[in-house]
Amino acid sequence: MLRNRHDTYGLVAVILHWLVALVVVGLFGLGLWMVELTYYDDWYRRAPAIHKGVGVLLFLTVTLRLGWRLLGPRPAPLATHSVWERRIARVTHALLYALLFAVMLSGSLISTADGRPIDVFGLFSVPALITDLPDQADIAGEVHLILAISLVSLAGVHALAALKHHLIDRDRTLLRMLGRGSASKAR
């Protein structure tokens, strides 16, 4: 089942969700590591190139994921979820998407501040659209770090909420995002 149903997410939504989650965590770790490298480290140029290339691919993936989410039906909220849980879930998802795009935009402002495009593994380049802001790379770098920490923190809270639903409430919230959420498949 590729598409979402009324009671569970389809394979496309599940794969995109977990792919984005893994890439965000990986890029966060890579970003923290690479800023500590010195000019003489073997990874001094390679790590940022990987970070930028994967970041652009993440932008395309998140855009695809958002399009898939908007065009396809979403499973109905579980009846056991209170009104405030549903509202918090909507706000959290909106913030996660906003932070994802803001982190990627600030990253592109760092990478293109010198006017050079972002090379994506030799496959294509993303042009430098904004290059003449005062202290663009430094300011965008500060913003990028703050937004990335905010994104990973909110994603952590999101994961804890899913675990709370699974372990304490014993509902199908987490199972649905694993593609196993239909009532007939619940434990």
Side-chain angles (χ1 to χ4, degrees):
M1 161 189 74
L2 294 177
R3 298 189 55 85
N4 297 344
R5 293 190 324 213
H6 74 284
D7 61 345
T8 193
Y9 291 94
L11 186 60
V12 173
V14 170
I15 288 172
L16 290 174
H17 174 272
W18 293 107
L19 178 63
V20 168
L22 289 172
V23 170
V24 165
V25 170
L27 284 176
F28 185 71
L30 177 60
L32 292 177
W33 176 70
M34 74 183 195
V35 297
E36 298 300 323
L37 296 174
T38 66
Y39 181 80
Y40 297 103
D41 285 309
D42 290 339
W43 284 89
Y44 181 75
R45 284 187 176 64
R46 246 185 301 176
I50 291 168
H51 190 83
K52 293 173 193 179
V54 172
V56 170
L57 295 176
L58 177 65
F59 175 83
L60 296 173
T61 303
V62 172
T63 302
L64 173 67
R65 180 168 183 235
L66 186 58
W68 185 262
R69 178 183 171 118
L70 294 174
L71 294 175
R74 281 201 315 253
L78 295 176
T80 57
H81 292 176
S82 65
V83 171
W84 69 267
E85 285 175 311
R86 292 176 191 192
R87 284 188 184 138
I88 288 175
R90 276 194 306 275
V91 169
T92 300
H93 285 107
L95 281 172
L96 285 168
Y97 278 109
L99 284 168
L100 278 164
F101 283 112
V103 168
M104 293 182 284
L105 175 62
S106 63
S108 72
L109 289 174
I110 300 165
S111 301
T112 60
D114 62 2
R116 286 185 286 165
I118 301 170
D119 176 64
V120 182
F121 305 113
L123 301 171
F124 62 94
S125 294
V126 177
L129 299 176
I130 300 172
T131 60
D132 57 355
L133 299 174
D135 300 317
Q136 179 174 327
D138 292 336
I139 294 170
E142 293 285 327
V143 170
H144 188 67
L145 177 60
I146 291 166
L147 291 172
I149 291 169
S150 300
L151 172 61
V152 170
S153 298
L154 185 59
V157 170
H158 177 66
L160 288 173
L163 289 173
K164 174 252 186 205
H165 279 286
H166 188 71
L167 299 172
I168 296 171
D169 298 345
R170 299 190 128 354
D171 66 27
R172 297 184 332 263
T173 301
L174 180 58
L175 294 175
R176 290 183 349 155
M177 192 38 79
L178 294 171
R180 299 182 20 207
S182 66
S184 62
K185 295 180 186 176
R187 51 185 164 125

